[in-house]
Amino acid sequence: MATVDRLYALYNIIDDAKDKAGEHETEFQEILTGVKGGAGERRLTSQFIARFFHHFPSQQEQALNALFDLCEDDDVAIRKQAIKDLPTLCRDKPELVAKVADILAQLLQMEDTGEVATVHNSLLTLLKMDSKGTLTGLFYQMEHSDDELVRERCIRFLHGKVRVLGPQVLTTDVENLIVTEAKKVLQVVSSEEELSCMMGVLRELKMYKSVKGFQQLVDLVAEQVDFTRTLDTTDTESTHRVVSCVKQALPLFSSQVRSTQFIEYMWREVVPALDDHLEAMDNGALVLEVLKILAELVPHAGNVEEIVNKITVIYHKLLEVMPLPPEGDAATEALEGGVSLEFSRVECLLYTFHQLAKQHNEFLTADQQRLKDFRIRLQYFARVSQAYQKRLREALANKTGDELKTEENKIKLIALKTTANINVLIKDLFHQPPSYKASISLSWKPVTSSGGKSMTNGAEKRHTPITFDSNTSPKSQKTERQIYAPPRDKYSQRAGQYSGGGGGGGNFRGQGRGGRGRGIGFPGSRGAYYRGGFRGRRGGFRGGY
């Protein structure tokens, strides 16, 4: 077993030989014995293996295994050194890239963030050296690893790096490889985050930057949903999976990429379960998620089938969450105890109704009694909503930028946007006849320049209270009537949870969305620490060595 001094002596012998270094195989074999030495010997051995590896073809399998052993060393410094040295072996041996990438992918399960960063750097070096070989190793772990953490971190690594790789790395052949393998991975992802990251990888590819590419991605999501199968809505995991898949398609829809198939599937398989199963199981968060998805799907659905039936369904669900004004003693009780209204659901349902009714604007006007009843409800909801907005503005007045970033104030900002959106839609429906021209930015969607404008026009602008009179329109209303009592102490952390990004937003009553969870419906566990499972998997890689 070579000592530090002996290792340096062996290094000098081989290095001084220059072009004849390959003649010193005995010396290189002695260097390999350093893996059984102390910390200093093991670290030098890693460096010297990387330095002379290409000179000794007959010893390369043994040298490679020695370096793999050092990747599992007890000393973190030695592990990092070996991980850093691994890509060096592939410079003159491109056939090793997939194997080394596979081993590095397994090492992503390490707990130390510094080690994980070292693995990232080595994988990035390999990607630039041989992208196809590296991706082959990464995707093998994504598809076949029994360790959920390994699969998750491989997907997250690729998602984070694909956007910084230039066209020299992401060639057409490489993009085709990613697409082929990504389709396989989508069959085994075990969480919404993994699904989102993998779809994010595909959205970064050049081939998917066009309208045609968006349509192809939508078709890929449709394959995951499988419109031909019947959804068992008593199984909430299956429903979660459908919801998670459809959410990935939402950013892709436009006037050129229609959401019609998704609307029809949701209406056929999911909407009937809102009352029958999901609500009965007290799964309010999932119900709200479904309502949000419907609201985002309808603007891009084109001409949907059985439009009157769909409007009727939404209309009746609106009646459930938009009550008639209280009267007599009930009104007094409301004044004393406040009211509890489901603003988040109302925003979703009202927006969906508004979008669908554009295609059949006689729905309300064809029945004057229905119109009158609906407007009484809208008027009451608008008054409470406006009073709610006033309280929210007062609570947010004079807050600094940092103060507005607290969780409580984020929730209040979402609440302000939600109530503003509701009032904009109600005002449109109070036109004579009802109008369907208003445009809003849904409260849970990320704020953009257009969304910011909508916030200004909605949340920051005071509205004249909306009242119903069969002989007048909102424009002729000059004086404020006495408003109903606003909600008292109904807005708190229990009122909902704010979550950034496309799937966030508050639920102003009941529970908001929870954390990430593992809600997509694929059971699994993170597996053991890597020392318990890393050895023995080397031979499982399909490329082999």
Side-chain angles (χ1 to χ4, degrees):
M1 183 173 60
T3 63
V4 169
D5 290 340
R6 178 58 179 165
L7 286 171
Y8 276 118
L10 294 168
Y11 174 91
N12 289 331
I13 292 171
I14 299 174
D15 189 56
D16 289 343
K18 298 187 185 301
D19 294 340
K20 297 183 179 180
E23 298 177 2
H24 296 276
E25 189 169 311
T26 302
E27 285 79 4
F28 185 71
Q29 287 178 326
E30 189 175 351
I31 286 177
L32 296 181
T33 65
V35 297
K36 299 178 181 179
E41 286 84 0
R42 297 199 302 277
R43 187 164 187 174
L44 282 176
T45 299
S46 176
Q47 296 173 358
F48 294 169
I49 288 174
R51 173 69 176 82
F52 299 124
F53 182 80
H54 64 285
H55 289 299
F56 304 100
S58 64
Q59 299 297 318
Q60 285 179 353
E61 183 174 357
Q62 183 181 352
L64 189 62
N65 285 327
L67 208 53
F68 288 159
D69 285 338
L70 294 176
C71 288
E72 299 182 88
D73 199 273
D74 292 330
D75 190 320
V76 62
I78 294 172
R79 294 201 298 269
K80 286 184 177 180
Q81 183 65 55
I83 292 167
K84 187 188 302 182
D85 291 331
L86 274 176
T88 307
L89 309 186
C90 303
R91 288 177 180 168
D92 299 306
K93 296 279 290 184
E95 62 270 24
L96 289 178
V97 171
K99 177 68 174 178
V100 170
D102 172 66
I103 296 300
L104 289 172
Q106 294 180 55
L107 294 175
L108 285 172
Q109 63 186 292
M110 290 176 170
E111 296 178 354
D112 183 86
T113 55
E115 289 180 78
V116 174
T118 304
V119 175
H120 280 193
N121 290 336
S122 291
L123 282 171
L124 190 58
T125 299
L126 285 180
L127 274 172
K128 294 176 179 178
M129 185 186 304
D130 181 353
S131 52
K132 293 184 73 173
T134 306
L135 289 168
T136 298
L138 278 171
F139 275 113
Y140 182 81
Q141 285 301 316
M142 293 183 207
E143 296 167 30
H144 301 286
S145 177
D146 294 328
D147 192 322
E148 182 183 349
L149 184 60
V150 170
R151 183 177 61 250
E152 173 192 307
R153 289 188 174 178
C154 285
I155 294 173
R156 287 170 59 186
F157 168 78
L158 187 57
H159 179 248
K161 300 303 180 185
V162 69
R163 66 188 60 184
V164 300
L165 299 174
Q168 293 180 337
V169 175
L170 290 177
T171 62
T172 301
D173 286 345
V174 171
E175 289 199 352
N176 287 333
L177 172 65
I178 292 175
V179 172
T180 300
E181 297 299 324
K183 289 180 179 180
K184 300 175 186 176
V185 174
L186 287 172
Q187 302 298 323
V188 297
V189 292
S190 63
S191 74
E192 184 175 345
E193 183 180 354
E194 291 179 11
L195 176 66
S196 178
C197 285
M198 186 51 61
M199 290 299 299
V201 169
L202 294 175
R203 283 196 292 268
E204 291 295 329
L205 302 182
K206 182 174 61 178
M207 66 172 63
Y208 289 137
K209 296 293 186 181
S210 63
V211 172
K212 181 180 178 181
F214 285 178
Q215 184 62 62
Q216 290 174 338
L217 285 176
V218 166
D219 293 341
L220 180 58
V221 174
E223 291 177 15
Q224 306 306 309
V225 176
D226 188 2
F227 294 144
T228 63
R229 74 183 179 96
T230 300
L231 178 65
D232 179 10
T233 50
T234 61
D235 178 10
T236 54
E237 288 188 347
S238 297
T239 308
H240 270 295
R241 177 174 174 80
V242 168
V243 167
S244 298
C245 289
V246 176
K247 283 167 63 177
Q248 298 308 312
L250 292 177
L252 304 169
F253 294 125
S254 66
S255 60
Q256 296 170 291
V257 181
R258 291 298 189 183
S259 60
T260 313
Q261 283 185 298
F262 289 81
I263 275 284
E264 297 299 342
Y265 179 82
M266 293 290 289
W267 225 276
R268 184 179 73 250
E269 300 294 338
V270 182
V271 171
L274 293 178
D275 296 324
D276 297 343
H277 301 303
L278 302 185
E279 197 73 82
M281 290 185 288
D282 196 28
N283 203 328
L286 182 55
V287 171
L288 180 59
E289 203 68 45
V290 170
L291 295 179
K292 287 179 178 180
I293 287 174
L294 291 176
E296 292 193 59
L297 286 173
V298 290
H300 310 298
N303 295 321
V304 298
E305 299 176 5
E306 300 180 340
I307 185 68
V308 176
N309 290 340
K310 290 182 172 61
I311 297 173
T312 303
V313 169
I314 295 298
Y315 172 76
H316 285 298
K317 291 194 177 297
L318 269 173
L319 297 187
E320 294 172 8
V321 292
M322 298 186 73
L324 288 165
E327 298 178 357
D329 294 340
T332 303
E333 292 175 6
L335 287 171
E336 292 177 350
V339 290
S340 179
L341 300 174
E342 299 181 86
F343 291 96
S344 294
R345 292 197 185 191
V346 170
E347 180 191 11
C348 297
L349 290 167
L350 200 58
Y351 182 77
T352 303
F353 175 84
H354 189 270
Q355 291 291 317
L356 290 174
K358 284 181 181 180
Q359 299 183 32
H360 188 77
N361 55 21
E362 305 89 23
F363 180 82
L364 289 175
T365 56
D367 186 336
Q368 289 300 311
Q369 187 57 40
R370 172 193 285 169
L371 177 61
K372 182 176 181 179
D373 176 82
F374 193 45
R375 280 183 165 171
I376 290 173
R377 295 170 187 268
L378 292 174
Q379 177 188 18
Y380 171 56
F381 208 94
R383 286 175 167 179
V384 176
S385 180
Q386 288 164 6
Y388 205 169
Q389 280 186 278
K390 181 179 179 181
R391 293 183 64 222
L392 289 168
R393 288 195 189 94
E394 290 172 352
L396 294 170
N398 302 318
K399 298 289 186 184
T400 65
D402 289 337
E403 289 174 331
L404 291 175
K405 293 178 182 178
T406 65
E407 192 67 19
E408 182 179 358
N409 286 329
K410 283 180 179 180
I411 296 172
K412 289 178 179 177
L413 287 170
I414 293 293
L416 193 59
K417 187 174 181 183
T418 299
T419 51
N421 285 343
I422 291 171
N423 283 335
V424 170
L425 295 173
I426 290 176
K427 186 174 181 180
D428 213 30
L429 293 172
F430 257 85
H431 281 85
Q432 296 285 9
S435 172
Y436 302 96
K437 296 180 181 179
S439 177
I440 63 169
S441 173
L442 293 165
S443 63
W444 61 87
K445 298 185 70 173
V447 176
T448 60
S449 56
S450 59
K453 181 178 179 181
S454 150
M455 181 73 171
T456 301
N457 292 340
E460 298 303 326
K461 181 179 178 181
R462 297 181 182 273
H463 298 282
T464 303
I466 302 169
T467 59
F468 173 75
D469 188 320
S470 59
N471 298 319
T472 61
S473 68
K475 292 183 179 180
S476 64
Q477 193 68 33
K478 298 297 183 182
T479 60
E480 292 191 10
R481 294 185 181 182
Q482 182 180 1
I483 61 174
Y484 285 87
R488 290 188 186 177
D489 303 321
K490 297 293 181 182
Y491 198 82
S492 65
Q493 290 294 343
R494 294 185 63 211
Q497 298 291 330
Y498 170 80
S499 174
N507 173 14
F508 308 130
R509 185 181 174 186
Q511 294 296 321
R513 287 190 64 212
R516 169 187 169 224
R518 313 300 295 179
I520 195 168
F522 292 97
S525 61
R526 285 181 174 265
Y529 180 57
Y530 78 94
R531 292 191 185 286
F534 177 66
R535 289 182 183 271
R537 288 211 292 267
R538 297 173 185 166
F541 177 65
R542 62 187 171 196
Y545 171 67

